[in-house]
Amino acid sequence: MIAFKPVLLWSDLLLLLLLAAIAASGAWASRQEHLRAAWARVGRSRSGMAAATLLAAFVLVGIVDSMHYRTLLPGKDGKPGAYSVEVNSALDALLAGLRNRTEKTYSAPLATHLYAKESVEGPEGSAAGREFPRLKHGGAHLGAELDRHSADVAASAFRGLALGLAAWLPLAMVFAILKRRRPGTAWEAVSATLLTLALLGGPAAALAGGYHVLGTDKVGQDVLYLTLKSIRTGLLIGTLTTLIMLPAAVLLGILAGYLGGWVDDLIQYLYTTLNSIPGVLLIAAAVLMMQVLIDTHPEAFATAADRADARLLALCAILGVTSWTGLCRLLRGETLKLREMDYVQAARAFGVGRLAIMLRHILPNVMHIVIIALVMDFSGLVLAEAVLSYVGIGVDPNTVSFGTMINAARMELAREPMVWWSLAAAFCFMFALVLSANLFSDAVRDAFDPRMSHR
């Protein structure tokens, strides 16, 4: 038997389908002159390319975290081993040093002792006072030489900076060559963003070998590991929800705008009714119903990862059901304008069917709205997951996400001394993800919006 068994969760499959759809769309767009020109304008935007580079780094982490497997357990008494029920990912394997080095409870970033004092027994079992206990892993390589702590941190950070620069220099030369061959693209922004990531990631990687860079949480887990694991959840919420809501929004929006009449009235009634229902209540009801389904049919979910994945997909589905109405309304309005254009009237006069007109003349001319709306909605969906998980109706509690980290940190802020690093880490990473998505969406909007003047 092989040492591990690949596991394909439903969310992994949908993510692969989405990546395939993006690749197919990119291949199709490369053959369309107006789309190729629009994406070239995105490439000329320094902020857009810098944001795209940062988003690509987040996506890479999410893809690595989506490669799941189950390890083979050793057999007993000559019997063959069985596969573990615990589902791990390739990111877990890469971050095994962070994942396995757990402490007793809270510890501050780069600390060598626990964050709170504990009672210490004397040599004969008597109370010897209270002190900060040493961490099991953080700074363990220092031994008793704690006076070297500051120097060791500085040396490790400097070594990480050197490694980061060494990794960036070959990429910088590649981008310099690309800049000479394709001067219209903002390759310098990509290079500068990668340099920033190298200068931040190099020291973090070097320090992570001996310390907890972002501290530990209540149960002693490394906060840096939890934050990196949260990226996949945020990406899935933002992308899979898009995959669910896009077909309904495009189909119903174009049908309502082009056909008009009772079809338009019915679709307007549908999304008006849906918008009148409080979104949080609808999401809470759907998530609770899914949880009841999981609890009453445990045989359908072999592992805890399957159960958490089912709840994640349920959350994506209900977010998709509640978020398609805005794009549908935009597409209806644009289609109402396009159906009166001369080329559409001419096609109708020549006897071209309604379906052919919608596919050949309407759909290609509303794709700029679709692209702009999807990119701009991504950041809103990431924030929505954080809010829903904070109030307890988001992802499964066993699923690591920015929302669950913030939810766990709210009580930590009220204790004395205050534990601030879990909330700060989740906030910083989520802020970087949302900011990069917003900056990229601004660049896409400026490039694809026909009302913008392009020179």
Side-chain angles (χ1 to χ4, degrees):
M1 300 177 69
I2 59 176
F4 64 91
K5 177 182 179 181
V7 175
L8 186 64
L9 301 176
W10 281 106
S11 59
D12 300 336
L13 179 60
L14 291 175
L15 182 60
L16 290 175
L17 291 176
L18 182 61
L19 293 175
I22 292 174
S25 300
W28 174 76
S30 64
R31 296 192 295 269
Q32 309 297 319
E33 184 177 354
H34 65 289
L35 293 178
R36 191 165 59 247
W39 283 112
R41 288 192 289 270
V42 175
R44 289 194 291 270
S45 170
R46 288 185 174 87
S47 61
M49 291 299 288
T53 305
L54 185 56
L55 277 177
F58 280 113
V59 171
L60 179 61
V61 175
I63 292 175
V64 174
D65 199 20
S66 296
M67 301 176 183
H68 292 101
Y69 65 93
R70 293 163 62 181
T71 56
L72 180 64
L73 299 176
K76 296 181 179 180
D77 300 329
K79 297 181 180 180
Y83 289 104
S84 171
V85 296
E86 182 182 10
V87 178
N88 296 319
S89 70
L91 186 65
D92 293 327
L94 291 175
L95 302 178
L98 299 180
R99 181 173 180 244
N100 298 328
R101 293 190 298 118
T102 59
E103 306 292 349
K104 184 177 180 180
T105 183
Y106 298 113
S107 65
L110 302 176
T112 58
H113 293 74
L114 289 179
Y115 195 59
K117 289 184 177 181
E118 294 184 356
S119 299
V120 179
E121 294 183 354
E124 298 180 358
S126 59
R130 295 174 60 83
E131 63 180 31
F132 296 99
R134 279 292 300 269
L135 295 178
K136 188 193 309 182
H137 302 286
H141 62 286
L142 297 176
E145 301 176 355
L146 294 179
D147 55 338
R148 294 196 306 110
H149 175 248
S150 298
D152 183 68
V153 169
S156 298
F158 183 79
R159 185 170 61 252
L161 285 174
L163 292 176
L165 284 174
W168 171 77
L169 283 175
L171 296 176
M173 291 187 290
V174 172
F175 289 122
I177 296 174
L178 290 175
K179 183 65 177 178
R180 289 195 295 268
R181 294 185 177 180
R182 299 184 63 181
T185 305
W187 296 113
E188 67 279 5
V190 178
S191 181
T193 306
L194 290 177
L195 174 61
T196 304
L197 292 176
L199 294 180
L200 293 175
L207 289 168
Y211 300 95
H212 299 287
V213 179
L214 297 180
T216 57
D217 63 1
K218 185 176 182 179
V219 295
Q221 287 185 297
D222 192 276
V223 173
L224 177 59
Y225 167 75
L226 296 176
T227 310
L228 293 175
K229 289 287 290 183
S230 301
I231 293 175
R232 176 181 181 269
T233 305
L235 291 176
L236 287 179
I237 293 291
T239 54
L240 295 188
T241 303
T242 298
L243 184 65
I244 293 170
M245 59 85 71
L246 182 60
V250 173
L251 176 62
L252 296 180
I254 293 178
L255 287 177
Y258 185 77
L259 297 181
W262 66 270
V263 175
D264 187 18
D265 294 338
L266 179 62
I267 295 175
Q268 286 191 75
Y269 178 80
L270 178 61
Y271 65 63
T272 302
T273 303
L274 191 58
N275 280 336
S276 66
I277 303 174
V280 175
L281 295 180
L282 188 61
I283 293 171
V287 170
L288 291 176
M289 289 172 58
M290 187 63 194
Q291 190 61 47
V292 171
L293 179 64
I294 293 173
D295 294 338
T296 55
H297 298 81
E299 68 281 356
F301 308 97
T303 62
D306 291 326
R307 293 190 290 272
D309 192 63
R311 181 161 170 173
L312 175 62
L313 292 180
L315 181 60
C316 292
I318 191 59
L319 285 174
V321 169
T322 56
S323 61
W324 64 270
T325 56
L327 178 58
C328 179
R329 187 183 291 109
L330 289 174
L331 294 179
R332 173 186 174 273
E334 186 70 12
T335 305
L336 284 172
K337 181 184 72 174
L338 291 175
R339 73 177 185 179
E340 304 299 330
M341 301 297 290
D342 292 340
Y343 58 87
V344 176
Q345 297 289 348
R348 188 181 302 151
F350 278 106
V352 180
R354 292 179 174 180
L355 180 61
I357 291 177
M358 286 187 286
L359 291 177
R360 297 177 185 175
H361 300 293
I362 303 297
L363 181 61
N365 287 286
V366 299
M367 285 307 295
H368 67 282
I369 296 179
V370 174
I371 295 174
I372 293 170
L374 294 184
V375 177
M376 296 186 71
D377 286 347
F378 173 84
S379 57
L381 292 169
V382 173
L383 293 175
E385 181 277 325
V387 174
L388 293 173
S389 296
Y390 175 76
V391 299
I393 56 173
V395 297
D396 188 87
N398 294 324
T399 301
V400 184
S401 72
F402 294 123
T404 55
M405 289 185 65
I406 294 173
N407 185 33
R410 61 178 177 174
M411 298 303 296
E412 298 171 355
L413 297 177
R415 57 167 285 155
E416 181 63 33
M418 182 178 66
V419 179
W420 52 268
W421 48 86
S422 294
L423 179 62
F427 171 80
C428 291
F429 274 74
M430 187 169 62
F431 174 77
L433 177 59
V434 173
L435 179 62
S436 60
N438 286 340
L439 291 176
F440 184 67
S441 66
D442 288 343
V444 171
R445 180 199 60 201
D446 295 342
F448 280 85
D449 194 340
R451 294 172 296 181
M452 303 293 293
S453 58
H454 303 297
R455 297 180 180 179

